[in-house]
Amino acid sequence: GDRVATLVLGGRAADVPLLQLCPGAVRQAIEVEGGAEWLAECRRGREQLDAELPCPSFADAVADTRRLARLASWEERLPLCYQLPPAPPRLLQPWRVGGLTLRNRIVKAATFEGVTGAELVEFHRGVAASGVGLTIVAYGAVTAGGRSFPNQLVVRGDEAAGTLRDLAAAVHAEGGRVAVQLTHAGYFAHDALSATSHFQVDLMKWRLARKMTDADVDALVRQFADAAFLCAGAGIDGVVIHCGHGYLLSQFFSSPSGARVPMRVLRAVRAAAPQLLVICKFNVMDGPGDTATLGKATQFALQVQREGVVDMLVPSGGHVLSNGFFMLRGGVPLARMVSRAQTAAMRLSLALFGALVIPHLEWEPAFFVQGALALRSAGVDLPLVVTGGVHTLHTAIWVTERLGLDGVGMARALLNDPELVRHWEKSNTSHQTCDRSNLCAIRSTFEQKPLECYLRRVTDW
């Protein structure tokens, strides 16, 4: 990004950053210092991209997620005229979804912020100011007993309504849209509940969860509907119903009732707040090699599509107790997790079982794109947002242009480079330095401190 070439045009010389070269300048260049080999390399790289990125079949698309790890490096090596089409890419154009128009197809994925109240408002105001189309507030518990962290937003009561009103106003003032993720943590929650068995052990907190009764299920459906209604009244644009990662709604997929309870929740949410954008996040796989979950997920997605209760789908994966970093990939800072855990029981559990339940998984670009493509190939026409492993402009354009999927969700990349979207809007590459250490996630969850990038930290770590 800092390399310069001396261009001689019409007898006048000027130092020009290579990443600012436009197509005309390249064609008209009379002399580029040491540039003949560099330009030939760029052309070879572009030919390689054109040859390898098109994905005519699902199998090719799956294989491309591996190739892209190597090809993504071209983003820092090619001049900008080779990176973007002449017109703004689909990624950066306004997107009409549900009843909303988003300014682009970039979503700030839900990541636990570690703060509430005014700090939560300011966090998402900053995200909206960065230029994303939609920012998602993480882990809005539908009841106080459904929290997994004490410093977590509970979407009930006048205090929450006031925070959400301020949040909506702040995000809208920056030109963005905001959704709140609604969830109940199930057997990770303060009031531990299980959808699948009479007793479920949470090894991190060493306690038993109680199996839900029919009355519990009825109350749960009302709590989700009430939370959605409160969000709508506060001016929030949408809600994300969290049906993944081992939380309570996802547990029903492994029970005899299957998707019956999650469907009840989605219907109730739609009825309570029909004006909201309703998004559903759900697992397409629970861990490496899991093929059974995708079949259930496909049937679920087709059902919500038939009933019209959801406007957007976010395929995800992983389970907090059995594969905690499957939804993140990259580094597993286990030593820090042990040392910073909030209780002695958690420290002991992580020391004994951490390596088993949080295995290291190599990061790769767009690592949930296979699930999204499988849903599309099965007839799911609802908008699909690919989260996980979207860190570069090449990856984002590959997902939305080459594969024809509808949007991308990002978190760590935006924490590392808050101006990422602005760089892309100006046809510029991001200078983000995210090393996928996942220390940011540990800070907000295990340490219960405000979420921020370790490499850009401004507070004491």
Side-chain angles (χ1 to χ4, degrees):
D2 296 327
R3 294 173 61 192
V4 296
T6 300
L7 249 62
V8 181
L9 301 173
R12 300 179 63 184
D15 288 338
V16 180
L18 296 184
L19 290 178
Q20 293 180 6
L21 288 173
C22 67
V26 172
R27 286 196 300 270
Q28 297 173 36
I30 299 171
E31 184 180 324
V32 179
E33 184 179 353
E37 180 181 350
W38 179 80
L39 288 172
E41 181 185 14
C42 287
R43 294 190 186 101
R44 287 193 300 271
R46 184 66 220 178
E47 291 168 1
Q48 181 183 11
L49 285 170
D50 285 338
E52 297 203 37
L53 280 182
C55 305
S57 72
F58 173 62
D60 288 339
V62 172
D64 265 1
T65 63
R66 305 306 196 280
R67 295 194 198 111
L68 199 64
R70 175 170 49 85
L71 295 175
S73 65
W74 284 105
E75 182 167 297
E76 299 300 331
R77 300 174 67 186
L78 295 177
L80 292 176
C81 55
Y82 289 95
Q83 289 185 26
L84 293 173
R90 182 170 178 254
L91 174 75
L92 299 176
Q93 295 177 12
W95 180 22
R96 186 71 178 174
V97 56
L100 291 179
T101 298
L102 309 181
R103 58 185 164 188
N104 54 48
R105 294 171 181 266
I106 300 170
V107 176
K108 163 59 179 68
T111 44
F112 183 50
E113 303 89 349
V115 293
T116 56
E119 291 179 284
L120 184 67
V121 172
E122 177 56 25
F123 179 92
H124 286 279
R125 186 210 61 78
V127 172
S130 76
V132 302
L134 176 70
T135 184
I136 299 176
V137 179
Y139 299 149
V142 296
T143 178
R147 292 174 296 167
S148 45
F149 307 104
N151 57 337
Q152 184 176 340
L153 174 67
V154 179
V155 190
R156 293 180 69 85
D158 293 340
E159 182 178 354
T163 296
L164 294 179
R165 278 193 295 271
D166 293 344
L167 178 63
V171 170
H172 293 162
E174 299 291 350
R177 298 286 192 171
V178 58
V180 176
Q181 186 181 74
L182 301 180
T183 187
H184 188 296
Y187 44 72
F188 317 124
H190 288 288
D191 297 336
L193 296 175
S194 172
T196 57
S197 63
H198 288 286
F199 296 105
Q200 177 69 48
V201 180
D202 179 353
L203 292 177
M204 292 300 163
K205 297 178 181 177
W206 290 92
R207 64 185 180 192
L208 298 176
R210 175 176 61 84
K211 185 178 181 181
M212 297 180 73
T213 64
D214 290 343
D216 290 327
V217 171
D218 293 340
L220 181 73
V221 173
R222 288 194 301 271
Q223 289 159 359
F224 271 91
D226 290 346
F229 183 80
L230 187 147
C231 287
I236 297 295
D237 301 296
V239 290
V240 181
I241 308 304
H242 198 333
C243 295
H245 302 175
Y247 295 113
L248 187 54
L249 290 182
S250 71
Q251 294 168 21
F252 284 98
F253 292 105
S254 300
S255 73
S257 64
R260 183 177 62 84
V261 173
M263 287 301 306
R264 282 187 61 189
V265 166
L266 290 170
R267 294 185 197 111
V269 165
R270 178 65 95 192
Q275 69 272 46
L276 289 181
L277 179 75
V278 179
I279 305 167
C280 184
K281 183 175 187 175
F282 63 110
N283 277 19
V284 290
M285 57 183 71
D286 289 343
D290 173 25
T291 58
T293 301
L294 181 58
K296 297 177 184 178
T298 301
Q299 294 306 310
F300 174 64
L302 290 170
Q303 184 176 359
V304 300
Q305 178 172 281
R306 286 193 301 269
E307 296 197 22
V309 292
V310 164
D311 301 302
M312 183 192 300
L313 297 173
V314 181
S316 187
H319 191 289
V320 174
L321 279 189
S322 62
N323 217 308
F325 275 35
F326 187 70
M327 68 285 289
L328 294 175
R329 315 293 172 93
V332 180
L334 189 56
R336 188 180 183 97
M337 293 165 69
V338 172
S339 66
R340 301 302 176 92
Q342 296 294 305
T343 66
M346 290 184 69
R347 288 192 289 273
L348 177 60
S349 295
L350 285 166
L352 294 175
F353 310 115
L356 296 176
V357 300
I358 316 175
H360 175 77
L361 297 166
E362 289 296 328
W363 185 93
E364 58 186 18
F367 46 79
F368 285 128
V369 75
Q370 302 99 317
L373 289 169
L375 294 174
R376 184 70 87 223
S377 66
V380 177
D381 297 322
L382 285 168
L384 295 168
V385 171
V386 174
T387 62
V390 181
H391 278 213
T392 68
L393 184 58
H394 273 156
T395 308
I397 290 180
W398 174 70
V399 168
T400 54
E401 301 275 353
R402 301 282 186 171
L403 303 185
L405 298 172
D406 301 283
V408 294
M410 300 188 297
R412 287 169 291 184
L414 288 167
L415 285 175
N416 181 259
D417 182 5
E419 296 299 314
L420 180 71
V421 179
R422 300 305 186 196
H423 289 313
W424 291 0
E425 288 174 341
K426 296 174 182 177
S427 300
N428 203 343
T429 53
S430 166
H431 300 294
Q432 55 126 344
T433 57
C434 177
D435 59 2
R436 296 128 198 175
S437 66
N438 292 319
L439 287 168
C440 53
I442 299 308
R443 177 176 170 80
S444 63
T445 54
F446 277 77
E447 302 178 27
Q448 297 179 19
K449 295 179 180 179
L451 177 68
E452 66 177 352
C453 176
Y454 175 75
L455 299 174
R456 293 175 55 88
R457 59 192 181 276
V458 295
T459 57
D460 182 19
W461 279 55

